[in-house]
Amino acid sequence: MLIGSDYSGTHSKSRYITYSFLVADADRSPDYPLKRRILREEYLPNNRRMSFKNLNDRYRREALQPFLQTAELLMGLGVVIVVHKDLRRMTTGSNTLKVWKNLHGLQGKWTAYAFEDMVRIVHFLCLLISDFSKPLQHITWMTDQDEIVANDGRLTDVLNLVARMTGLYIKHPLGELAVNSTEIDTSDRRFEDFVAIPDLIAGAFSEVVNVWSTQDEWNKDKELSLDPKYLSEKSNVISTWFCQENQNLKRSIILIDRYDSNSFKVRQMGVFK
């Protein structure tokens, strides 16, 4: 099992943090590696890296649709979890960082906010592993070079937490569990191309939900829908693709939003109309 993840919405103008995960069964996706190499040779000269932020480049824009179509060859699941920033503590308490330091020790330096973000991501990851892994299956999690794995100390802390959390969520024995950032990528960018899929999805839905929340028709009790005219072209392309049905790559979008001044609500986001 391969898992790629990326995140968006940390800038001050965003009301939401978007967590994007791609879970794929490599053994059941035999056509993907070759198609990816062909696509890169045809559309991405000079070893360009695909990412949402860099789609202003002409080559990357032309590669976007074929890149997404190639992702359809993956047997697995794409999951987007969008969390309102007002929900500052979802997986840790005010003393969790201090308690963890005293009980287990930490190799990296963490602020309370960064530690909450890391623990939140690991919780999401372990829930996905518990639902989709098989006994003794080998698992590789690839994350972008995000602040949660910004250095060796933080990567060690992430590894230790993943080991503990899998023990809580997963009842069957796993095979090898590897955690890496895209820093270890080979010259052909195969790991970066895989993680670029959740990167594109995270960037698009960060824009989608922030635009959605400003519209007059925003209603917290109804299915969400949005006219594509409100979106940038790249977000429109990616989000429309993501909301299409596909036999191989399933999709799910979960929104954890502020409902009123005292509570939050979890729901699935609707499709574009």
Side-chain angles (χ1 to χ4, degrees):
M1 176 186 289
L2 299 177
I3 302 176
S5 62
D6 211 318
Y7 328 103
S8 185
T10 56
H11 55 90
S12 60
K13 293 183 179 180
S14 176
R15 301 182 183 185
Y16 301 85
I17 301 291
T18 304
Y19 304 89
S20 177
F21 293 85
L22 177 64
V23 183
D25 188 328
D27 293 336
R28 298 176 65 195
S29 310
D31 296 329
Y32 173 75
L34 177 59
K35 293 291 186 181
R36 183 201 66 83
R37 288 197 297 270
I38 293 173
L39 180 144
R40 176 160 285 282
E41 291 173 0
E42 183 175 354
Y43 289 97
L44 295 169
N46 301 320
N47 212 22
R48 280 174 167 80
R49 179 187 181 188
M50 279 295 287
S51 71
F52 184 81
K53 292 180 180 179
N54 292 328
L55 284 177
N56 292 329
D57 175 88
R58 175 174 66 87
Y59 292 100
R60 293 183 177 93
R61 287 200 308 271
E62 292 176 355
L64 180 57
Q65 286 279 15
F67 193 86
L68 297 174
Q69 291 168 5
T70 300
E72 300 282 4
L73 299 172
L74 292 166
M75 181 68 70
L77 174 71
V79 179
V80 183
I81 305 170
V82 184
V83 183
H84 198 289
K85 282 186 177 178
D86 284 354
L87 187 56
R88 298 185 61 83
R89 295 195 178 275
M90 184 176 173
T91 53
T92 65
S94 57
N95 293 321
T96 302
L97 178 57
K98 180 179 179 180
V99 170
W100 190 268
K101 284 181 179 178
N102 292 336
L103 291 178
H104 308 293
L106 290 169
Q107 300 300 310
K109 294 182 179 180
W110 298 91
T111 64
Y113 176 81
F115 191 72
E116 158 68 29
D117 197 45
M118 185 268 282
V119 177
R120 184 182 296 187
I121 290 168
V122 170
H123 271 273
F124 292 153
L125 170 78
C126 292
L127 285 170
L128 290 171
I129 294 175
S130 68
D131 277 347
F132 298 104
S133 65
K134 302 173 184 176
L136 302 179
Q137 186 174 29
H138 299 319
I139 298 170
T140 297
W141 174 34
M142 299 293 304
T143 182
D144 196 13
Q145 297 173 44
D146 186 77
E147 68 170 10
I148 68 165
V149 290
N151 51 58
D152 290 343
R154 285 194 170 190
L155 179 58
T156 299
D157 293 336
V158 170
L159 281 165
N160 290 336
L161 184 61
V162 170
R164 292 179 180 276
M165 289 296 101
T166 52
L168 292 176
Y169 285 116
I170 302 162
K171 304 305 179 184
H172 53 264
L174 297 175
E176 295 180 2
L177 176 59
V179 180
N180 289 296
S181 76
T182 53
E183 186 178 10
I184 69 161
D185 205 358
T186 58
S187 58
D188 69 349
R189 293 198 183 278
R190 60 183 177 182
F191 295 135
E192 286 196 352
D193 283 347
F194 184 76
V195 176
I197 301 169
D199 171 280
L200 294 171
I201 296 168
F205 278 95
S206 179
E207 179 182 337
V208 165
V209 77
N210 277 288
V211 172
W212 244 330
S213 65
T214 63
Q215 301 303 306
D216 292 336
E217 61 266 30
W218 176 261
N219 187 310
K220 299 183 185 302
D221 293 309
K222 293 183 179 180
E223 184 183 75
L224 303 179
S225 61
L226 180 66
D227 191 321
K229 70 183 180 182
Y230 295 114
L231 296 176
S232 65
E233 181 180 356
K234 61 183 180 180
S235 290
N236 188 23
V237 169
I238 297 166
S239 55
T240 300
W241 164 79
F242 190 85
C243 290
Q244 294 173 351
E245 293 185 2
N246 174 265
Q247 282 190 327
N248 292 334
L249 188 62
K250 308 301 181 184
R251 282 88 151 171
S252 181
I253 314 167
I254 300 168
L255 174 63
I256 304 174
D257 199 11
R258 175 167 287 288
Y259 187 69
D260 54 35
S261 59
N262 297 312
S263 63
F264 294 84
K265 185 175 183 178
V266 181
R267 58 177 171 165
Q268 281 194 307
M269 294 175 67
V271 299
F272 292 93
K273 295 181 179 179

